[in-house]
mmCIF file of all heavy atoms in Angstrom:
data_model
loop_
_atom_site.group_PDB
_atom_site.id
_atom_site.type_symbol
_atom_site.label_atom_id
_atom_site.label_comp_id
_atom_site.label_asym_id
_atom_site.label_seq_id
_atom_site.Cartn_x
_atom_site.Cartn_y
_atom_site.Cartn_z
ATOM 1 N N GLY A 15 -2.796 30.062 -25.190
ATOM 2 C CA GLY A 15 -1.490 29.449 -25.029
ATOM 3 C C GLY A 15 -0.389 30.324 -25.595
ATOM 4 O O GLY A 15 -0.587 31.032 -26.573
ATOM 5 N N TRP A 16 0.756 30.256 -24.939
ATOM 6 C CA TRP A 16 1.985 30.847 -25.479
ATOM 7 C C TRP A 16 2.858 29.711 -25.997
ATOM 8 O O TRP A 16 3.118 28.745 -25.271
ATOM 9 C CB TRP A 16 2.736 31.628 -24.411
ATOM 10 C CG TRP A 16 2.127 32.961 -24.097
ATOM 11 C CD1 TRP A 16 1.307 33.271 -23.055
ATOM 12 C CD2 TRP A 16 2.297 34.167 -24.841
ATOM 13 N NE1 TRP A 16 0.944 34.602 -23.097
ATOM 14 C CE2 TRP A 16 1.543 35.178 -24.184
ATOM 15 C CE3 TRP A 16 3.008 34.522 -25.991
ATOM 16 C CZ2 TRP A 16 1.479 36.484 -24.645
ATOM 17 C CZ3 TRP A 16 2.951 35.823 -26.450
ATOM 18 C CH2 TRP A 16 2.193 36.791 -25.780
ATOM 19 N N PHE A 17 3.298 29.842 -27.231
ATOM 20 C CA PHE A 17 4.154 28.858 -27.872
ATOM 21 C C PHE A 17 5.396 29.583 -28.366
ATOM 22 O O PHE A 17 5.391 30.790 -28.565
ATOM 23 C CB PHE A 17 3.418 28.200 -29.040
ATOM 24 C CG PHE A 17 2.159 27.476 -28.617
ATOM 25 C CD1 PHE A 17 0.967 28.172 -28.456
ATOM 26 C CD2 PHE A 17 2.166 26.113 -28.376
ATOM 27 C CE1 PHE A 17 -0.195 27.519 -28.046
ATOM 28 C CE2 PHE A 17 1.020 25.453 -27.975
ATOM 29 C CZ PHE A 17 -0.161 26.158 -27.804
ATOM 30 N N ARG A 18 6.450 28.826 -28.580
ATOM 31 C CA ARG A 18 7.659 29.445 -29.119
ATOM 32 C C ARG A 18 8.318 28.522 -30.118
ATOM 33 O O ARG A 18 8.155 27.294 -30.065
ATOM 34 C CB ARG A 18 8.634 29.815 -28.011
ATOM 35 C CG ARG A 18 9.265 28.637 -27.279
ATOM 36 C CD ARG A 18 10.110 29.137 -26.101
ATOM 37 N NE ARG A 18 10.747 28.028 -25.382
ATOM 38 C CZ ARG A 18 11.419 28.170 -24.242
ATOM 39 N NH1 ARG A 18 11.556 29.392 -23.693
ATOM 40 N NH2 ARG A 18 11.966 27.121 -23.640
ATOM 41 N N GLN A 19 9.056 29.130 -31.022
ATOM 42 C CA GLN A 19 9.786 28.370 -32.030
ATOM 43 C C GLN A 19 11.133 29.018 -32.263
ATOM 44 O O GLN A 19 11.207 30.187 -32.651
ATOM 45 C CB GLN A 19 8.993 28.288 -33.328
ATOM 46 C CG GLN A 19 9.596 27.352 -34.354
ATOM 47 C CD GLN A 19 8.639 27.024 -35.474
ATOM 48 O OE1 GLN A 19 7.677 27.745 -35.741
ATOM 49 N NE2 GLN A 19 8.886 25.911 -36.154
ATOM 50 N N ALA A 20 12.161 28.240 -32.018
ATOM 51 C CA ALA A 20 13.530 28.676 -32.281
ATOM 52 C C ALA A 20 13.954 28.167 -33.657
ATOM 53 O O ALA A 20 13.388 27.184 -34.149
ATOM 54 C CB ALA A 20 14.456 28.157 -31.195
ATOM 55 N N PRO A 21 14.941 28.806 -34.286
ATOM 56 C CA PRO A 21 15.385 28.364 -35.608
ATOM 57 C C PRO A 21 15.768 26.886 -35.621
ATOM 58 O O PRO A 21 16.505 26.422 -34.741
ATOM 59 C CB PRO A 21 16.592 29.255 -35.884
ATOM 60 C CG PRO A 21 16.353 30.483 -35.092
ATOM 61 C CD PRO A 21 15.661 30.006 -33.844
ATOM 62 N N GLY A 22 15.231 26.149 -36.569
ATOM 63 C CA GLY A 22 15.553 24.738 -36.703
ATOM 64 C C GLY A 22 14.866 23.824 -35.725
ATOM 65 O O GLY A 22 15.152 22.613 -35.712
ATOM 66 N N GLN A 23 13.982 24.361 -34.907
ATOM 67 C CA GLN A 23 13.293 23.557 -33.906
ATOM 68 C C GLN A 23 11.789 23.596 -34.128
ATOM 69 O O GLN A 23 11.259 24.491 -34.781
ATOM 70 C CB GLN A 23 13.634 24.043 -32.499
ATOM 71 C CG GLN A 23 15.104 23.933 -32.144
ATOM 72 C CD GLN A 23 15.390 24.261 -30.698
ATOM 73 O OE1 GLN A 23 14.494 24.218 -29.846
ATOM 74 N NE2 GLN A 23 16.639 24.573 -30.398
ATOM 75 N N GLU A 24 11.114 22.608 -33.560
ATOM 76 C CA GLU A 24 9.660 22.579 -33.649
ATOM 77 C C GLU A 24 9.042 23.573 -32.672
ATOM 78 O O GLU A 24 9.650 23.942 -31.666
ATOM 79 C CB GLU A 24 9.149 21.169 -33.353
ATOM 80 C CG GLU A 24 9.547 20.129 -34.383
ATOM 81 C CD GLU A 24 8.902 18.783 -34.124
ATOM 82 O OE1 GLU A 24 8.218 18.632 -33.101
ATOM 83 O OE2 GLU A 24 9.102 17.880 -34.952
ATOM 84 N N ARG A 25 7.823 23.975 -32.997
ATOM 85 C CA ARG A 25 7.090 24.855 -32.099
ATOM 86 C C ARG A 25 6.715 24.086 -30.841
ATOM 87 O O ARG A 25 6.276 22.933 -30.917
ATOM 88 C CB ARG A 25 5.837 25.390 -32.775
ATOM 89 C CG ARG A 25 5.107 26.455 -32.009
ATOM 90 C CD ARG A 25 3.997 27.075 -32.852
ATOM 91 N NE ARG A 25 4.521 27.758 -34.027
ATOM 92 C CZ ARG A 25 3.768 28.484 -34.841
ATOM 93 N NH1 ARG A 25 2.472 28.625 -34.609
ATOM 94 N NH2 ARG A 25 4.305 29.067 -35.897
ATOM 95 N N GLU A 26 6.907 24.702 -29.677
ATOM 96 C CA GLU A 26 6.593 24.038 -28.429
ATOM 97 C C GLU A 26 5.685 24.902 -27.564
ATOM 98 O O GLU A 26 5.736 26.131 -27.619
ATOM 99 C CB GLU A 26 7.877 23.712 -27.645
ATOM 100 C CG GLU A 26 8.659 24.927 -27.179
ATOM 101 C CD GLU A 26 9.754 24.587 -26.191
ATOM 102 O OE1 GLU A 26 9.715 23.502 -25.579
ATOM 103 O OE2 GLU A 26 10.657 25.444 -26.008
ATOM 104 N N GLY A 27 4.869 24.244 -26.772
ATOM 105 C CA GLY A 27 4.009 24.948 -25.841
ATOM 106 C C GLY A 27 4.818 25.414 -24.642
ATOM 107 O O GLY A 27 5.503 24.605 -24.016
ATOM 108 N N VAL A 28 4.750 26.686 -24.337
ATOM 109 C CA VAL A 28 5.499 27.255 -23.230
ATOM 110 C C VAL A 28 4.624 27.334 -21.979
ATOM 111 O O VAL A 28 4.990 26.852 -20.910
ATOM 112 C CB VAL A 28 6.021 28.656 -23.590
ATOM 113 C CG1 VAL A 28 6.695 29.309 -22.394
ATOM 114 C CG2 VAL A 28 6.967 28.581 -24.779
ATOM 115 N N SER A 29 3.461 27.964 -22.143
ATOM 116 C CA SER A 29 2.548 28.117 -21.014
ATOM 117 C C SER A 29 1.154 28.375 -21.544
ATOM 118 O O SER A 29 0.993 29.085 -22.533
ATOM 119 C CB SER A 29 2.992 29.281 -20.115
ATOM 120 O OG SER A 29 2.132 29.384 -18.993
ATOM 121 N N CYS A 30 0.173 27.799 -20.877
ATOM 122 C CA CYS A 30 -1.202 27.906 -21.337
ATOM 123 C C CYS A 30 -2.140 28.084 -20.152
ATOM 124 O O CYS A 30 -1.830 27.670 -19.028
ATOM 125 C CB CYS A 30 -1.592 26.660 -22.127
ATOM 126 S SG CYS A 30 -0.547 26.384 -23.577
ATOM 127 N N ILE A 31 -3.310 28.675 -20.448
ATOM 128 C CA ILE A 31 -4.259 28.981 -19.387
ATOM 129 C C ILE A 31 -5.674 28.753 -19.902
ATOM 130 O O ILE A 31 -5.987 29.050 -21.052
ATOM 131 C CB ILE A 31 -4.054 30.437 -18.894
ATOM 132 C CG1 ILE A 31 -4.881 30.728 -17.645
ATOM 133 C CG2 ILE A 31 -4.352 31.445 -20.002
ATOM 134 C CD1 ILE A 31 -4.475 32.042 -16.962
ATOM 135 N N SER A 32 -6.510 28.205 -19.034
ATOM 136 C CA SER A 32 -7.891 27.954 -19.417
ATOM 137 C C SER A 32 -8.678 29.268 -19.482
ATOM 138 O O SER A 32 -8.190 30.318 -19.055
ATOM 139 C CB SER A 32 -8.543 27.008 -18.402
ATOM 140 O OG SER A 32 -8.560 27.623 -17.112
ATOM 141 N N SER A 33 -9.892 29.197 -19.989
ATOM 142 C CA SER A 33 -10.703 30.401 -20.148
ATOM 143 C C SER A 33 -10.999 31.073 -18.808
ATOM 144 O O SER A 33 -11.052 32.303 -18.719
ATOM 145 C CB SER A 33 -12.016 30.073 -20.862
ATOM 146 O OG SER A 33 -12.767 29.127 -20.114
ATOM 147 N N SER A 34 -11.149 30.283 -17.758
ATOM 148 C CA SER A 34 -11.439 30.841 -16.434
ATOM 149 C C SER A 34 -10.191 31.292 -15.698
ATOM 150 O O SER A 34 -10.279 32.023 -14.701
ATOM 151 C CB SER A 34 -12.153 29.788 -15.574
ATOM 152 O OG SER A 34 -11.267 28.735 -15.248
ATOM 153 N N GLY A 35 -9.049 30.839 -16.162
ATOM 154 C CA GLY A 35 -7.803 31.122 -15.455
ATOM 155 C C GLY A 35 -7.493 30.124 -14.361
ATOM 156 O O GLY A 35 -6.443 30.199 -13.724
ATOM 157 N N GLY A 36 -8.389 29.177 -14.162
ATOM 158 C CA GLY A 36 -8.201 28.241 -13.070
ATOM 159 C C GLY A 36 -7.258 27.099 -13.361
ATOM 160 O O GLY A 36 -6.848 26.376 -12.454
ATOM 161 N N SER A 37 -6.914 26.924 -14.611
ATOM 162 C CA SER A 37 -6.014 25.842 -14.994
ATOM 163 C C SER A 37 -4.875 26.414 -15.817
ATOM 164 O O SER A 37 -5.101 27.077 -16.822
ATOM 165 C CB SER A 37 -6.773 24.793 -15.817
ATOM 166 O OG SER A 37 -5.891 23.858 -16.394
ATOM 167 N N THR A 38 -3.650 26.177 -15.365
ATOM 168 C CA THR A 38 -2.479 26.643 -16.097
ATOM 169 C C THR A 38 -1.520 25.482 -16.327
ATOM 170 O O THR A 38 -1.574 24.465 -15.617
ATOM 171 C CB THR A 38 -1.741 27.765 -15.349
ATOM 172 O OG1 THR A 38 -1.337 27.283 -14.053
ATOM 173 C CG2 THR A 38 -2.612 28.986 -15.181
ATOM 174 N N ASN A 39 -0.657 25.656 -17.289
ATOM 175 C CA ASN A 39 0.336 24.634 -17.606
ATOM 176 C C ASN A 39 1.638 25.319 -18.023
ATOM 177 O O ASN A 39 1.601 26.369 -18.677
ATOM 178 C CB ASN A 39 -0.181 23.741 -18.738
ATOM 179 C CG ASN A 39 0.734 22.560 -18.999
ATOM 180 O OD1 ASN A 39 0.748 21.604 -18.239
ATOM 181 N ND2 ASN A 39 1.519 22.635 -20.064
#
């Protein structure tokens, strides 16, 4: 997963991928 955190904000999920690559978000 790729996550990001801006100053003063909570960490959020940006984009994620399963081990096979068949499922993304």
Side-chain angles (χ1 to χ4, degrees):
W16 284 99
F17 299 83
R18 68 186 181 187
Q19 188 166 21
Q23 298 187 20
E24 294 186 355
R25 188 171 297 187
E26 65 169 341
V28 175
S29 182
C30 301
I31 189 168
S32 62
S33 60
S34 69
S37 170
T38 59
N39 187 76

